Each structure stands twice: as C-alpha cells, then as structure tokens.
Amino acid sequence: MTILGWARKRLLSVFAAAIACLFAGCASLGTYNPATGRSELIFITTPQEVDLGNDVHQKLLKEYRLSDQAAETERVQRIGERLVQVSDRKDYEYHFYVVEKDEINAFTTPGGNIYLFTGIMDKLTTDDQVASVIAHEMGHCAARHTVKKYQAALGYNLLGGVVLGQVGGEGARQIASMSSQAVMNLVFSAYGRKDEYESDRLGVKYLRLAGYDPQASVEVLEMLQRESDDSGGLAVLRSHPYLSDRIEVVKKEIQTAGESHSGI
C-alpha cells in the first residue's frame, strides 16, 4: 500500500470513529462539562481556544473601536469579574470589552472574550441588568457553545487536524487568514435555540450565585422585545431568537431556583 493510500485509509478510520462516537455519545472520549452535565466531544484544547479568541479579537479591532469611556469599561469589568467567581468554567482568563457602536447587541468569542456594544449599555439602567447580559454570554462560554460553533465552522479541515493533533493551531491559522467580513459573519452567526435556552438558565444561576437579582434577565429580555417591536428588528436577534419563549423559560427558571434555594 502506498503512503497516500495508507493516509486515506487512516483518515477514513478516524472519520468512522468520530461518527461512531458522536452517535454513541462518546462517553469514553468526551470531556464531562459540569455546566451542562454532559460529556462533550471537543477537539480544541483550552490553550488553542484562547489562541482562536486572540486572532478573532485582532480582527474585531479592525472593524470596531473599543469605548474610551473609562467608567463604563471599568463597570463592565467589575461586574464581569464578580460573575467569573461563580462560573462553571475557569480554565481561562475572561476579558470584558465595551465596543463603541450604537447597536443593541452583545456577544462572546472563543477564549472567554465578552463584548457589549454601547448601544445596549445605554439601555441597561442597573448593574443587575448589565450582569444579566454578561451572565448570559458567560453561559455560552461555560457550556462551550462558542468553541463548538467555531469548531463546526472550521470542521471542513477538522479530521485532518485530528490526525495531525493540530486542530486548534490550524483553526487559529484559518481565522487569521480569513477576511474581516468572514470573521464577522462567524462571530454573529446564530446559536441554536437549545443553546440560547441553556445560556439563559446558566445566566440565572450565575446571577443568583453572584448576588445579583435574576429578575434582571426578564427585564433585559422584555427591553429587547420592546426595542424589536419599535424598530422592526434588532441585530441582537440574529443570535438570540424566540424572545417571548425565552422570557417564559427564564421566569420558570427563576421560580424553580427560588423554590430550591428556599428549601421548598
């Protein structure tokens, strides 16, 4: 058998094993995630994820300007650091940024980078509301929704990376070689409905544990709903769909968490 033939056979074997693991739940190869209570097949290591996030951040800096309002930035960092203490995921250092853009939006990228636009900051009247936005984005981090989204987007070269043991490094190189517009499309690509609900639930959990009012999550979602009705649609809705459903899920989560906390 030629070297090329062996390589193809090896790649097909890895592909078959990966598919088998996915359908079987991959309990033996997956990593248990305490935030979700599930074993998950993540090929990208934490250091590689941080590298991906750093490359995305550099692309973002070419498209957006970070806020020069020191008080506002310090407020977000202060609230964010308080939430970090109760996060299910602490294997990297979180970074919090305020982006100078009049748009009601917030998002996270690999490696724990969380961004809030000045447009949404202008609508948040309390620290609890700011905390609710950050806690939701932190939920995406803890549940590894963000890295899985990027892993899937880079998946066309994923199995080759598995064979070489260089998935994260190759992913970072791919991100670095993308156009800024392509990276922006990836940054703002939608999470699934299940992921949004899961991040909402984790956000309520983190707010309660950090001593913030979980009801602020409902207030923020209702604000987004009002703004959507007024403007005919928000950019934030590209990755945060089903607001009315999410409001009901969050209300139930707050009630359930409150009953559990009180021992009822």
Side-chain angles (χ1 to χ4, degrees):
M1 181 182 294
T2 65
I3 294 176
L4 181 58
W6 178 89
R8 286 175 176 169
K9 183 177 180 180
R10 175 61 175 162
L11 185 58
L12 287 173
S13 297
V14 172
F15 179 79
I19 295 299
C21 284
L22 288 172
F23 280 101
C26 204
S28 61
L29 294 180
T31 300
Y32 177 76
N33 187 340
T36 63
R38 299 188 299 268
S39 290
E40 299 164 339
L41 193 61
I42 305 294
F43 296 107
I44 299 175
T45 66
T46 295
Q48 291 167 341
E49 182 182 349
V50 171
D51 286 343
L52 279 174
N54 289 338
D55 279 311
V56 172
H57 183 68
Q58 293 307 311
K59 293 285 189 181
L60 286 167
L61 291 181
K62 294 179 180 179
E63 296 294 315
Y64 300 116
R65 184 169 66 87
L66 297 182
S67 173
D68 57 6
Q69 298 298 313
E72 188 172 64
T73 299
E74 289 170 3
R75 180 190 186 199
V76 168
Q77 291 175 343
R78 169 176 52 81
I79 294 170
E81 289 302 323
R82 180 167 158 184
L83 289 164
V84 166
Q85 303 308 309
V86 300
S87 172
D88 289 296
R89 188 174 188 193
K90 300 188 181 76
D91 57 336
Y92 51 44
E93 182 179 355
Y94 288 84
H95 298 280
F96 305 95
Y97 303 97
V98 178
V99 176
E100 194 67 45
K101 187 171 179 61
D102 186 21
E103 187 175 287
I104 301 176
N105 207 352
F107 60 94
T108 185
T109 64
N113 297 324
I114 295 175
Y115 303 81
L116 285 76
F117 285 170
T118 52
I120 197 169
M121 290 296 297
D122 290 342
K123 298 291 183 178
L124 304 176
T125 59
T126 68
D127 281 2
D128 294 300
Q129 291 178 357
V130 174
S132 74
V133 173
I134 296 174
H136 175 84
E137 298 303 327
M138 195 172 288
H140 283 308
C141 295
R144 299 181 187 266
H145 299 154
T146 305
V147 69
K148 284 187 284 189
K149 181 171 74 168
Y150 281 72
Q151 180 172 280
L154 301 172
Y156 68 89
N157 200 33
L158 185 59
L159 291 179
V162 173
V163 174
L164 297 173
Q166 297 177 347
V167 174
E170 178 61 25
R173 286 191 289 274
Q174 287 177 250
I175 290 291
S177 66
M178 284 183 180
S179 69
S180 293
Q181 185 57 54
V183 172
M184 294 306 103
N185 289 340
L186 180 54
V187 166
F188 295 112
S189 61
Y191 292 105
R193 187 175 186 180
K194 179 181 176 182
D195 287 352
E196 290 297 347
Y197 289 162
E198 190 164 56
S199 289
D200 282 336
R201 287 190 288 268
L202 287 170
V204 168
K205 171 185 173 181
Y206 298 153
L207 288 174
R208 180 178 60 78
L209 291 176
Y212 290 108
D213 183 4
Q215 187 63 31
S217 292
V218 176
E219 295 169 359
V220 170
L221 290 172
E222 289 177 341
M223 177 274 289
L224 293 176
Q225 193 172 48
R226 289 193 303 271
E227 292 295 324
S228 177
D229 290 341
D230 291 342
S231 64
L234 295 173
V236 70
L237 301 186
R238 288 198 297 265
S239 61
H240 296 67
Y242 311 107
L243 283 173
S244 59
D245 291 344
R246 288 177 61 199
I247 289 169
E248 292 307 311
V249 168
V250 168
K251 286 180 178 179
K252 290 178 182 178
E253 184 66 22
I254 292 171
Q255 181 179 0
T256 301
E259 291 174 352
S260 175
H261 190 62
S262 63
I264 296 174

